Amino acid sequence: SVPIPSARHWYASVGINAARSEYDNGDRPFHILQKPGETIYLPYGRVHSVFNMDDTIAITANYGSEGNFDEVWKTVVTDGEKRHWRKLYYQVFNKEQRRRARESEYWHPDEYVDDEEDENVVNEEDIHSILHNLKKRLSGDDVNAKRESFMTLSKLINSDGDDNDNILRAVFNSRLAESIIDGLEDPSYVMVLRSLRVIGHIVSGSNENAQAMIDAGLMPKMQALLSQDSNEPTLQLVKKEACYVLTNIAGGTDEQTNELLKKGILNRVIELAYSSKRGLRKEAIWVIANVVSSLDEHVISAVESGALEALYNFLSDGDAKVVAFVLQSIENILEVGTETGKTYAQKVVNMDGLEALERLASSQNTTVQQRANEVLKRFFAK
């Protein structure tokens, strides 16, 4: 047998010669010594090799951006599993990115996913039997049975198998969704939290799933939940989880976004955007940002409820990713104001927002800096 060369021998022969080569376009490879604490960014598709000169712990990640959007979407659809493209499309993409995905040659993704039968698929009879028992346990008084039922539902609904659609369809057909939503009224916040996590799994799957939960009576109980006032620490976690659910609904169809407005839920969310708990405050901001990226009438209604002030208040946060998204949301609001004759730019001036924008225009984060400068140039140039 031929011995496998060590990494050191490979680099000393093949690797170093590759680094000396010249390519057809006249380019030559870079030979870089990366030191502790340094970061290297490799553009998408760039061939590279790494040799560790000593025992090393490294953190690496693939980066998706507008520049390589089509390649990333193609890779996820053709090489990944159904859960991968679903999570990207329904939980990560904004509306414009969803449009690009739908207009690409790799839509609909199910056509490209390996359709070999999953050996772990649960047959339909088993699904109905399991869900019938879960519904019965959720309607009872046994706390342990309820807790275990929510845990089982989380695993079933968040499973990776192709039977996930069948399970959700059975959940809705059996009216188990109503029993899950009823968990939001449980006197124990721990149980409410478990109910919310199951709901979160469901609504993050697709707009259709979110609509089914809305039709099952979700929104009035979410409004009642957010209106609760208590010093109980667990309630803060409950409201944070509730905002996660609402973020997915606000990022859905225009009709679903409207549900937050007409039920008065957005008003409660805006109040949470001023919470002393940063995690809760951040989740509330994501909801608001999704609402103001929809129809003009939704933006106007959100601003009337105090959305612009809440977003401005979050500009001092240290998370550059969230601040960049907030700046984009403020830009959306100002654009709607310009198109509809609203004085939103003056509102920003009145709340000393120009000072914050000018400070962020000098941010060390490139994305934050560019977005702040774009807002200043478009709406406040003298």
Side-chain angles (χ1 to χ4, degrees):
S1 63
V2 179
I4 299 175
S6 66
R8 186 180 297 275
H9 288 143
W10 181 90
Y11 195 80
S13 54
V14 179
I16 201 68
N17 287 328
R20 291 170 178 159
S21 300
E22 183 173 323
Y23 295 90
D24 292 340
N25 57 5
D27 287 344
R28 299 183 68 87
F30 291 102
H31 198 177
I32 300 169
L33 176 62
Q34 183 182 11
K35 297 178 182 179
E38 294 182 338
T39 300
I40 292 179
Y41 167 70
L42 291 168
Y44 181 83
R46 183 65 56 90
V47 177
H48 62 282
S49 66
V50 178
F51 173 69
N52 297 321
M53 301 180 69
D54 205 342
D55 291 339
T56 302
I57 296 176
I59 299 174
T60 182
N62 292 318
Y63 176 71
S65 68
E66 294 296 326
N68 66 348
F69 179 91
D70 294 333
E71 290 84 1
V72 170
W73 179 244
K74 173 185 174 182
T75 300
V76 171
V77 169
T78 57
D79 294 344
E81 300 172 15
K82 180 185 287 188
R83 64 189 175 97
H84 294 146
W85 75 256
R86 281 186 164 185
K87 182 173 183 180
L88 194 64
Y89 182 84
Y90 289 111
Q91 298 184 39
V92 178
F93 284 174
N94 59 33
K95 291 189 176 182
E96 173 60 22
Q97 290 165 336
R98 291 183 187 181
R99 182 193 63 77
R100 286 186 63 178
R102 290 194 300 272
E103 293 178 356
S104 75
E105 61 179 301
Y106 295 97
W107 187 266
H108 192 282
D110 282 341
E111 298 173 8
Y112 299 91
V113 176
D114 185 0
D115 60 359
E116 289 185 10
E117 186 174 350
D118 190 331
E119 61 182 10
N120 294 318
V121 170
V122 183
N123 67 54
E124 193 169 337
E125 186 177 337
D126 287 341
I127 291 174
H128 284 289
S129 176
I130 292 169
L131 296 184
H132 174 76
N133 288 331
L134 289 175
K135 184 178 180 181
K136 185 177 179 180
R137 289 157 68 91
L138 285 175
S139 62
D141 298 324
D142 189 326
V143 174
N144 289 329
K146 285 185 178 181
R147 183 179 66 248
E148 291 169 1
S149 296
F150 279 126
M151 291 173 64
T152 302
L153 277 167
S154 290
K155 292 177 181 177
L156 278 173
I157 294 168
N158 205 34
S159 63
D160 299 337
D162 289 338
D163 57 307
N164 187 258
D165 286 339
N166 293 333
I167 292 172
L168 283 171
R169 191 159 45 247
V171 166
F172 298 133
N173 291 340
S174 66
R175 303 187 68 83
L176 180 56
E178 284 85 342
S179 298
I180 296 170
I181 293 170
D182 285 342
L184 299 179
E185 297 178 319
D186 196 280
S188 166
Y189 286 137
V190 173
M191 206 66 73
V192 173
L193 200 56
R194 293 184 183 278
S195 172
L196 279 168
R197 285 173 179 162
V198 173
I199 294 169
H201 289 322
I202 295 174
V203 300
S204 64
S206 70
N207 291 342
E208 291 77 13
N209 293 347
Q211 188 60 50
M213 294 302 284
I214 292 172
D215 293 341
L218 174 64
M219 304 309 277
K221 292 185 180 180
M222 290 292 284
Q223 200 275 347
L225 184 62
L226 293 178
S227 298
Q228 291 188 32
D229 187 18
S230 167
N231 294 324
E232 172 68 40
T234 312
L235 180 58
Q236 305 305 311
L237 292 175
V238 164
K239 290 185 176 182
K240 179 182 175 183
E241 198 72 28
C243 284
Y244 170 77
V245 171
L246 295 172
T247 297
N248 284 279
I249 293 174
T253 66
D254 294 330
E255 292 77 13
Q256 289 167 1
T257 304
N258 193 49
E259 287 288 326
L260 276 74
L261 296 165
K262 72 180 186 181
K263 293 291 191 302
I265 293 174
L266 183 64
N267 299 77
R268 303 284 78 77
V269 172
I270 289 173
E271 291 173 5
L272 296 177
Y274 295 93
S275 168
S276 60
K277 303 292 183 181
R278 183 183 176 277
L280 175 55
R281 195 165 66 243
K282 182 177 173 182
E283 287 296 334
I285 286 295
W286 283 117
V287 180
I288 298 168
N290 272 344
V291 170
V292 300
S293 66
S294 55
L295 296 177
D296 288 1
E297 62 191 72
H298 293 162
V299 175
I300 293 170
S301 179
V303 173
E304 289 173 353
S305 297
L308 185 56
E309 289 83 355
L311 290 167
Y312 164 73
N313 185 64
F314 205 81
L315 288 177
S316 59
D317 189 82
D319 188 330
K321 177 182 177 182
V322 185
V323 170
F325 194 60
V326 168
L327 283 169
Q328 182 179 344
S329 301
I330 291 174
E331 185 174 0
N332 290 341
I333 290 174
L334 293 173
E335 185 171 357
V336 171
T338 300
E339 293 173 353
T340 59
K342 303 290 184 180
T343 57
Y344 295 157
Q346 187 59 47
K347 284 176 72 75
V348 172
V349 173
N350 294 344
M351 65 178 77
D352 297 326
L354 280 180
E355 294 181 10
L357 290 170
E358 288 167 355
R359 173 176 53 81
L360 293 172
S362 302
S363 170
Q364 293 184 345
N365 182 276
T366 304
T367 304
V368 170
Q369 182 186 112
Q370 290 175 344
R371 288 195 172 157
N373 276 299
E374 182 68 17
V375 172
L376 287 168
K377 184 172 77 172
R378 288 187 64 191
F379 303 103
F380 301 101
K382 296 181 181 178

